[in-house]
Amino acid sequence: MSGVSEEAGFSTRAVHAARVPAVTEEPASVPIYQTATWRFDSSEAYAEVLAFERHGHSYGRGYGNPTVEAFESVMAALERTEAAYGFSSGMSAIHAVCTTLAGAGDRIVASRELYGGTYGLFSQVLPRYGIGVDEVDPHDLEEVRRSLEGAATFYVETIANPLCTVADIEALALICREEGVPSVIDSTFASPWLCTPADLGFDFVVHSVTKYISGHSDVIAGVVCCTGADRHRLRSTAIETGGAMQPFDAWLSVRGVQTLEVRMERQCASAMALAAFLESQPHVTRVHYPGLTSHPHHSLAARLFRPGAFGGMLAFELGGGTEAAGRWCEALELAWMGASLGGTHTLVTHPASTTHRQVEPALRADRGLADGLIRLSTGLENIEDLLEDFGRAFKLTAV
Ligand SMILES: Cc1ncc(COP(=O)(O)O)c(C=O)c1O
């Protein structure tokens, strides 16, 4: 550390006198390195660190930060990949992985069952840069195989937002391997506790860290888990475009992910109980939860996911369309109506007007996104209280 003389002016001492003490004991909480830049004594070392020819830290826009690296290492360990790279949001992670793998004139093959924001990126943004996106039915393996010829990448979600459909991702990864096409999976809804897609053969596992990983609705962040070589490629994209993860978000995420298992255990159990309750309600026309034996992908999910667990997300349909869905959500007292998922609060949302508003109405109908559909993210509240809240909402709205 640079010294500062006792004679130096007040502000000079205020800026330079703080010392980071040498610490030998390992702290239980990963320290937060909330800094944008670092000091070098030699211009050679500075240039080499900036060029990644020597290990070190130089600048906070994606060149590396110890707190972010701590988060990346825990994510790689949980997703069972060689490496991981943090982003400033799930969307910046998705954008970076797509633009790293595809450029002008390339084609991405994507599942047609995706989060609305990803659909917006694929339908409105990437085509403006000459990247075409072809949608496929992820449940039709032959269609996927045919469409992969000459594709730059294949993109799918582990549990699709919002209908909680589950494709045979093991078979999809194998097809991609056979066709030599890099595979990307958004595993936000599943979290690595439920499923580790890299073990099934996926090359890139993406998360909106905003959701289950950080787990407390206080972070916007993303991550891509992949090989070390692919991490370098993603890092180059992030450095040139911005959008790398920031230290405080990494610190909150390192802290949050430590309780992922206990949160997921509670959230999966509550989702199962709520799905069964909703299925028994006369005005609920359909419940979409892979844990229910009535779900078309139940046995697939049982094979692919952790035994006995099916996730904390579900969706259900009310016969009365948008109006009934809105009234029911407004009648809740405990569960909140709001954006996001995977946090401690139970959240409901109406996909047609919120998460999937980017999808044109005719296409929404074609994709099974009914106007009366409500998406539910189970939180950590006690199940008795949630059941009471839901029961009260049905009584009040008589839907
Ligand atoms: C499945 C899925 N992927 C990606 C995202 C985008 O994540 P973020 O909001 O962190 O950019 C979301 C957001 O809701 C999502 O649900």
Side-chain angles (χ1 to χ4, degrees), residues 89-91 94 115 157 161 186 188-189 208 210-211 220-221 341:
S89 70
M91 286 316 301
I94 295 167
Y115 165 56
E157 290 178 2
N161 186 348
D186 179 340
T188 299
F189 267 36
S208 166
T210 314
K211 313 293 173 6
I220 298 283
L341 60 105

Side-chain angles (χ1 to χ4, degrees), residues 257-280:
V257 79
Q258 294 176 49
T259 54
L260 179 63
E261 179 165 61
V262 286
R263 285 187 279 109
M264 284 300 288
E265 279 170 355
R266 164 69 70 101
Q267 283 161 315
C268 290
S270 294
M272 189 60 136
L274 290 171
F277 170 75
L278 289 164
E279 211 173 33
S280 74

Side-chain angles (χ1 to χ4, degrees), residues 98-108 129-132 152:
C98 289
T99 54
T100 299
L101 293 169
D106 285 337
R107 198 169 59 87
I108 293 174
Y129 298 89
I131 302 173

Side-chain angles (χ1 to χ4, degrees), residues 9 14 34 59 113 155 159 162 169 190 221 289 349 379 391:
Q34 186 67 42
Y59 184 51
E113 297 170 354
Y155 189 99
I159 301 175
I169 54 173
Y289 183 61
T349 196

Side-chain angles (χ1 to χ4, degrees), residues 17-317:
R19 287 284 165 278
V20 181
V23 178
T24 45
E25 300 80 14
E26 192 171 358
S29 166
V30 168
I32 177 166
Y33 284 85
Q34 186 67 42
T35 184
T37 192
W38 305 75
R39 174 172 180 269
F40 289 90
D41 285 328
S42 115
S43 53
E44 191 192 352
Y46 176 21
E48 284 176 5
V49 168
L50 207 54
F52 298 110
E53 287 159 5
R54 172 197 292 223
H55 179 73
H57 298 98
S58 57
Y59 184 51
R61 201 195 64 235
Y63 288 84
N65 170 286
T67 317
V68 175
E69 286 160 18
F71 172 69
E72 292 167 345
S73 59
V74 67
M75 283 310 298
L78 294 179
E79 281 295 357
R80 304 160 75 81
T81 54
E82 200 176 75
Y85 190 79
F87 288 89
S88 62
S89 70
M91 286 316 301
S92 65
I94 295 167
H95 176 260
V97 78
C98 289
T99 54
T100 299
L101 293 169
D106 285 337
R107 198 169 59 87
I108 293 174
V109 174
S111 162
R112 65 180 194 189
E113 297 170 354
L114 293 179
Y115 165 56
T118 310
Y119 172 79
L121 174 72
F122 286 0
S123 61
Q124 288 154 40
V125 181
L126 295 185
R128 284 200 263 129
Y129 298 89
I131 302 173
V133 181
D134 288 342
E135 291 190 335
V136 287
D137 176 356
H139 309 285
D140 185 341
L141 299 179
E142 277 319 303
E143 184 195 343
V144 173
R145 188 187 290 278
R146 276 195 307 277
S147 68
L148 285 182
E149 202 185 328
T153 187
F154 174 71
Y155 189 99
V156 68
E157 290 178 2
T158 311
I159 301 175
N161 186 348
L163 290 179
C164 300
T165 52
V166 181
D168 189 344
I169 54 173
E170 189 171 20
L172 289 168
L174 184 65
I175 291 172
C176 290
R177 287 269 150 119
E178 286 169 354
E179 301 300 319
V181 174
S183 50
V184 182
I185 189 160
D186 179 340
S187 215
T188 299
F189 267 36
S191 91
W193 184 75
L194 204 60
C195 178
T196 47
D199 283 337
L200 303 176
F202 274 88
D203 300 308
F204 296 86
V205 182
V206 181
H207 284 280
S208 166
V209 172
T210 314
K211 313 293 173 6
Y212 287 105
I213 303 293
S214 62
H216 296 74
S217 303
D218 49 13
V219 170
I220 298 283
V223 72
V224 181
C225 304
C226 55
T227 64
D230 283 330
R231 179 184 186 275
H232 289 2
R233 298 167 70 202
L234 290 170
R235 183 177 63 190
S236 297
T237 303
I239 286 171
E240 305 309 346
T241 58
M245 190 178 215
Q246 294 306 304
F248 189 50
D249 292 326
W251 185 82
L252 286 168
S253 303
V254 167
R255 179 168 126 137
V257 79
Q258 294 176 49
T259 54
L260 179 63
E261 179 165 61
V262 286
R263 285 187 279 109
M264 284 300 288
E265 279 170 355
R266 164 69 70 101
Q267 283 161 315
C268 290
S270 294
M272 189 60 136
L274 290 171
F277 170 75
L278 289 164
E279 211 173 33
S280 74
Q281 293 302 301
H283 298 288
V284 173
T285 52
R286 200 158 167 203
V287 182
H288 304 264
Y289 183 61
L292 295 174
T293 49
S294 59
H295 191 282
H297 309 136
H298 174 70
S299 45
L300 196 53
R303 171 161 66 79
L304 295 168
F305 298 166
R306 181 179 285 270
F310 297 91
M313 297 298 300
L314 64 92
F316 61 98
E317 290 170 31

